[in-house]
């Protein structure tokens, strides 16, 4: 028996059938002594089996590709076209619970090679020409968190300088403690600018710009 | 660890419909099913996940047919049921509504919907306590969502401010995941359902009454709650690592007001028994009407609103 229920699979198949356009790679980076790696692989495989445009690959967290993408925690799930998106759209820890919906929406956006952002926000977003890393600490039982994750991932899809990294705080408590995470979503940009809450794009982009301006 | 999978439903693009249902909580989802079954072409638009505040309820024990179910799971059932009938566009916030001729143009982040009618099932959001320290320590121990943030306080002591049903459920949930909660209630008695009172007593969760919280204190994070004991007038302190605030709800009705919908002095949308507002072909259902606060009532009101919309739109 798999992790995803049959009726959910049926629904996902129809969503993918309607929305997928180009190939999407679902990469899972695994390591030794990793409690949830097996589950992450199993879930990714189940998702990939739902549509021929979704390709599953397993990689080692201490391998070459992980190094190229700058990954060091397992499991990490990356959604990519294998080219311009690189390893910038990612989940550290299991994308379960509410984050499973983020994963599915990311697969669809990456397959469409675009994401929806208003023209005003996009204009601001496209001024960013240096690397900005947005980390979003979440818990799987937080209904507000996917919005914060998806905003970062949508920004990353549109601007190749941006990396959006979800971090499952319950799975990586020491990492969460480092940033005193006590409420989620807790967003850390370039290990500097922080805010808490699921804000609309218009406010979110201002925090991203604040972090970006410190780079100049 | 349990692996739940919440599915996304992200419809895209603008369209012409009979009815836009704003909000995908129990009221909106139920309205969607009734509207579509009656023959209306409807869409549900939600700024977050479908489910509304019901998603945050750790347990629901009073919805007919379910003796005990997690809010998240109950909502999943609702959503899957509604998806058999109509589109639900999630994470698609409605930004504005304008009236053009006899149509309402609902402008959302991911599309515009021209509609003959609207059901506001926009619900409520958490009310703030409005004491010093609350804003300053937000995210540093102050929280409004136990399912989101409860984990960070395992093995620690927290105050749950507000001993109504939401606060009581929050305290029970916290105890279940290994947190040590203390409930602080303003009134001189238990303010939750008897059923919750029994669980709280059985699990020996402290429930202080006559407590007026005056301040949340802490340097980098929450350290204590300062309160007045209303029976003695004495000022006391309680050492805690976190504070969960459940002191009531405020309606989300600004957009409704913008198109002329009447509300009461607290902002709840005024409706008649058939869920019609004062504006033609505009309805409200669920917590935003101020009657509900209960999933079963919200669902019932949603059904009623949809049937009224059917009468007004299809039978005219």
């Amino acid at each position: 028996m798999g992790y995803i229920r049959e009726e959910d699979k049926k629904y996902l198949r129809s969503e993918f059938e309607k929305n997928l356009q180009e190939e999407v790679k679902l990469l899972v980076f695994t390591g030794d002594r990793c409690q949830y790696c097996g589950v992450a692989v199993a879930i990714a495989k189940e998702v990939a089996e739902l549509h021929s445009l979704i390709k599953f690959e397993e990689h080692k967290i201490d391998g070459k590709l992980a190094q190229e993408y700058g990954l060091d925690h397992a499991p990490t799930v990356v959604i990519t076209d294998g080219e311009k998106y690189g390893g910038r759209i990612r989940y550290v820890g299991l994308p379960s619970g509410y984050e499973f919906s983020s994963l599915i929406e990311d697969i669809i956006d990456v397959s469409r090679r675009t994401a929806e952002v208003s023209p005003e926000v996009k204009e601001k977003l496209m001024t960013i020409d240096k690397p900005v890393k947005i980390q979003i600490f979440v818990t799987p039982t937080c209904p507000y968190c996917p919005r914060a994750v998806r905003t970062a991932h949508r920004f990353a899809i549109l601007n190749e300088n941006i990396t959006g990294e979800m971090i499952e705080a319950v799975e990586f408590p020491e990492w969460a403690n480092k940033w005193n995470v006590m409420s989620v979503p807790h967003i850390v940009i370039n290990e500097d600018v922080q805010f808490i809450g699921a804000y609309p794009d218009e406010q979110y982009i201002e925090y991203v710009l604040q972090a970006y301006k410190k780079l100049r | 660890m349990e692996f739940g999978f919440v599915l996304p439903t992200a419809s895209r693009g603008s369209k012409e419909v009979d009815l836009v249902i704003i909000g995908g909580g129990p009221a909106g989802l139920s309205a969607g099913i009734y509207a579509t079954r009656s023959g209306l072409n409807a869409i549900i638009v939600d700024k977050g996940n479908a489910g509304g505040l019901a998603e945050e309820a750790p347990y629901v024990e009073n919805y007919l047919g379910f003796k005990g179910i997690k809010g998240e799971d109950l909502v999943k059932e609702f959503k899957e049921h509604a998806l058999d009938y109509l589109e639900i566009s999630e994470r698609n916030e409605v930004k504005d509504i304008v009236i053009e001729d006899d149509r309402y143009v609902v402008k959302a982040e991911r599309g515009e919907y021209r509609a003959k009618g609207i059901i506001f099932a926009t619900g409520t959001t958490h009310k703030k306590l409005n004491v010093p320290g609350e804003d300053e320590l937000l995210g540093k121990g102050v929280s409004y969502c136990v399912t989101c943030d409860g984990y960070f306080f395992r093995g620690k002591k927290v105050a749950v401010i507000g001993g109504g049903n939401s606060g009581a459920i929050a305290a029970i949930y916290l105890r279940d995941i290994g947190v040590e909660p203390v409930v602080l209630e303003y009134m001189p008695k238990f303010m939750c359902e008897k059923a919750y009172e029994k669980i709280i007593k059985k699990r020996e969760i402290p429930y202080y009454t006559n407590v007026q919280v005056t301040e949340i204190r802490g340097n980098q994070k929450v350290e204590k709650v300062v309160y007045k004991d209303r029976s003695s007038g004495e000022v006391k302190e309680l050492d805690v690592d976190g504070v969960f605030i459940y002191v009531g709800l405020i309606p989300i009705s600004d957009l409704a007001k913008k198109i002329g919908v009447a509300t009461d002095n607290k902002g709840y949308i005024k409706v008649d028994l058939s869920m019609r507002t004062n504006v033609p072909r505009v309805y409200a259902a669920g917590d935003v009407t101020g009657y509900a606060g209960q999933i079963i009532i919200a669902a019932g009101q949603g059904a009623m609103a949809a049937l009224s919309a059917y009468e007004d739109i299809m039978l005219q």
Side-chain angles (χ1 to χ4, degrees), chain A residues 34-67:
Chain A
C34 163
Q35 192 183 356
Y36 293 114
C37 282
V39 188
V41 167
I43 293 169
K45 274 186 180 166
E46 284 182 34
V47 171
E49 277 165 14
L50 298 174
H51 200 281
S52 58
L53 284 174
I54 308 173
K55 308 290 181 194
F56 166 80
E57 288 175 20
E58 184 176 346
H59 294 267
K60 287 288 161 200
I61 195 69
D62 50 9
K64 220 176 111 192
L65 192 61
Q67 200 178 5

Side-chain angles (χ1 to χ4, degrees), chain A residues 5 11 97 139 141 143-144 184, chain B residues 4 9 49 56 80 147-149:
Chain A
R5 298 187 311 168
Y11 172 74
T139 61
T141 44
Y144 307 103
V184 287
Chain B
T9 58
N49 302 304
E56 276 186 35
E80 279 169 11
T147 56
C148 305
D149 303 331

Side-chain angles (χ1 to χ4, degrees), chain B:
Chain B
M1 189 186 229
E2 280 181 61
F3 303 105
F5 297 102
V6 178
L7 304 178
T9 58
S11 109
R12 297 184 166 79
S14 304
K15 57 168 152 182
E16 188 106 12
V17 292
D18 294 319
L19 186 67
V20 174
I21 299 162
I22 306 176
L29 293 169
S30 166
I33 293 170
Y34 270 81
T36 310
R37 287 179 62 90
S38 71
L40 294 172
N41 178 11
I43 183 167
I44 297 171
V45 185
D46 193 298
K47 69 176 173 183
N49 302 304
L53 278 192
E55 277 188 318
E56 276 186 35
Y59 311 105
V60 177
E61 294 177 331
N62 52 11
Y63 193 87
L64 199 63
F66 295 88
K67 289 179 182 172
I69 184 167
K70 283 196 248 171
E72 181 189 336
D73 293 341
L74 183 61
V75 158
K76 192 167 185 222
E77 298 281 342
F78 289 174
K79 186 167 140 184
E80 279 169 11
H81 189 180
L83 275 172
D84 281 349
Y85 288 94
L86 80 169
E87 257 187 292
I88 306 172
S89 185
E90 295 183 296
R91 284 182 275 294
N92 188 12
E93 185 169 6
V94 174
K95 298 285 193 183
D96 197 13
I97 301 170
V98 294
I99 301 171
E100 282 177 13
D101 306 320
D102 58 347
R103 291 288 188 276
Y104 296 102
V105 183
V106 177
K107 299 182 175 189
E109 284 172 319
R110 285 201 299 236
E112 273 187 23
Y113 310 99
R114 285 173 61 84
K116 294 172 188 163
I118 299 176
I119 295 177
F120 284 94
T122 40
T124 51
T125 184
H126 297 292
K127 201 178 194 169
K128 286 171 55 175
L129 183 62
N130 286 322
V131 297
E134 183 179 13
D135 289 344
E136 294 81 352
L137 293 166
L138 178 69
K140 296 170 183 170
V142 172
S143 169
Y144 302 84
C145 175
V146 278
T147 56
C148 305
D149 303 331
Y151 292 108
F152 301 117
F153 301 92
R154 279 177 297 186
K156 294 178 177 171
K157 188 171 171 179
V158 304
V160 174
I161 303 180
N165 287 334
S166 307
I169 297 167
I172 296 164
Y173 173 80
L174 287 167
R175 169 59 59 91
D176 282 358
I177 62 168
V179 182
E180 201 188 316
V182 178
V183 181
L184 305 179
E185 168 56 43
Y186 181 84
M187 299 303 282
K189 59 187 181 75
F190 272 86
M191 292 303 288
C192 55
E193 282 176 13
K194 199 77 186 168
Y196 296 128
E197 182 182 332
K198 280 184 186 161
I199 300 172
I200 283 178
K201 286 179 172 161
K202 195 172 158 209
R203 305 208 186 162
E204 298 178 335
I205 297 171
Y207 187 107
Y208 299 174
T209 52
N210 259 325
V211 170
Q212 183 181 4
V213 173
T214 54
E215 192 182 346
I216 301 163
R217 231 179 252 170
N219 263 328
Q220 291 305 309
K221 51 185 183 176
V222 169
E223 289 164 15
K224 58 183 66 174
V225 168
V226 183
Y227 66 93
K228 188 169 100 180
D229 182 332
R230 296 171 64 229
S231 55
S232 66
E234 216 179 321
V235 175
K236 293 178 179 173
E237 292 181 356
L238 183 70
D239 290 337
V240 290
D241 295 298
V243 174
F244 287 89
I245 299 175
Y246 285 92
V247 290
L249 300 164
I250 39 175
I252 302 171
S253 57
D254 286 347
L255 277 173
K257 284 183 206 159
K258 199 210 150 211
I259 58 166
V261 172
T263 61
D264 69 10
N265 58 4
K266 287 180 177 161
Y268 288 104
I269 295 177
K270 286 186 181 172
V271 286
D272 64 15
L273 286 174
S274 50
M275 300 298 129
R276 291 182 174 94
T277 70
N278 60 314
V279 177
R281 301 183 314 283
V282 175
Y283 316 84
D287 287 6
V288 76
T289 65
Y291 288 114
Q294 294 299 319
I295 297 171
I296 198 158
I297 296 175
Q301 287 187 329
M304 189 71 239
L307 293 176
S308 299
Y310 167 71
E311 271 183 27
D312 299 346
I313 294 169
M314 295 291 270
L315 301 182
Q316 294 303 312

